[in-house]
Amino acid sequence: MNLLSLDSIDIGGKRVVIRADLNVPLTGTRIDNDQRIRAVLPTIHHCLDHGAEVVLLSHLGRPKGHYDPDYSLDPVARHLSTLLDRCVELVVNWRELFVKPGSTTRPSSGKASLVENLRFEEGEERNDPLLARDLASIGDVYVVDAFGTAHRAHASTYGAIELSTVACAGPLLLQEVDSILEAMKSPKRPLVAVVGGAKVSGKLEVLNNLAKIADTILVGGGMANTFLLAHGYQTGNSLVEPELAETAKSIANATNVPLPSDVMTCKSVEKSSRATLRLSHEIRDDDVVVDIGPCTARDFATRLEEAGTIIWNGPMGVFEFDQFGEGTRVVAEAIADSNAYTLGGGGDTVSAMERNGLRSKMDYVSTGGGAFLNLIEGKKLPSIAALERHFVKQTLR
């Protein structure tokens, strides 16, 4: 990739706009998990330490183009103030302060502020060129460090890049892309992919691309039911996609996809439901498959012990309920204990790591969900494409 990086730019005395991903889970005004905020702290410190003023941009939730107090970034601004040990002002009137003609606000070295939720702007998600122009006009340098939204061609993650005088990739974005592409393009063998989730259709392109490069794909969650069905097993009342059975079979023919030999079942997916072990060929008509069984979990763990590289996306079952979470726990521990290079990403994947206290034992945990999957699919992320074009334009100047 040909990208301009932040550390190659003289930012002293300049206003640096950082498009970050501060879309954190909230309960009321309490931040439940601040990992995404902490992930961008090195970028903020770099800019402040080099004498720049920092203006942070982010979205939060899906307010759909209008103000909603439940999605205000005020709790994030207050938390950033604590983490940075300096006041981070939440800016609502950002156009008046930074963009309007005649504005007298000059860069103030060491100052940090956070613009209110970008998705309060009606034009953000449709990449409105006027909004993109205004965002690009806020500062002297536009830094894209929001990997979690790099797969969205929005005004702040795409249009503003093309309209900025200087646009570059932040260190978090570069680290994310390099870590994922290295695991995909030059993995230490065997490459074992662990893919869970509800449906094959939701990760069809992921599976198709992994089938070309992975030595083994371990499937779990609801999607495993479609693979079982494709090989003649009954799946009862389980979530299954019969229309993709042939697709699942072709993926299994392209690489090694060991089927679950046993599964955990229940009659209805509820917190109080009892888990019952079945061999895969003994699934009953009224069974719902909710996890891989213990023999399958041990088999998967053994295969993971032999891996050179592991890519993990998705749990093995309904891990939120303890009685359906054992398969995910065993596989997660095997990944964390492996000597392989381990890479994981996606909301449920990270939740499973944290639920089992294993996040710190992974080699790399991506901050992205959709962007993580898009790279595994082999797609070019819109933010990366825009940064590459911007690099070419700057080179030709």
Side-chain angles (χ1 to χ4, degrees), residues 199-220:
K199 297 181 178 181
V200 169
S201 57
K203 296 181 181 177
L204 183 57
E205 292 182 67
V206 170
L207 290 166
N208 280 327
N209 201 41
L210 285 172
K212 301 173 186 175
I213 62 174
D215 300 288
T216 299
I217 302 177
L218 305 177
V219 293

Side-chain angles (χ1 to χ4, degrees), residues 118-185:
L118 289 175
R119 288 190 181 171
F120 289 169
E121 301 285 343
E122 190 272 333
E124 165 65 357
E125 293 188 75
R126 59 180 175 85
N127 190 26
D128 177 67
L130 296 180
L131 175 59
R133 180 202 63 191
D134 287 348
L135 293 172
S137 301
I138 290 176
D140 306 293
V141 179
Y142 197 90
V143 182
V144 184
D145 219 20
F147 177 72
T149 57
H151 62 308
R152 305 293 189 194
H154 292 173
S156 66
T157 61
Y158 187 77
I161 298 170
E162 301 191 318
L163 296 173
S164 294
T165 304
V166 179
C168 66
L172 177 60
L173 180 72
L174 290 174
Q175 183 183 29
E176 290 270 13
V177 174
D178 289 345
S179 297
I180 296 168
L181 292 185
E182 182 178 357
M184 297 288 292
K185 294 183 176 180

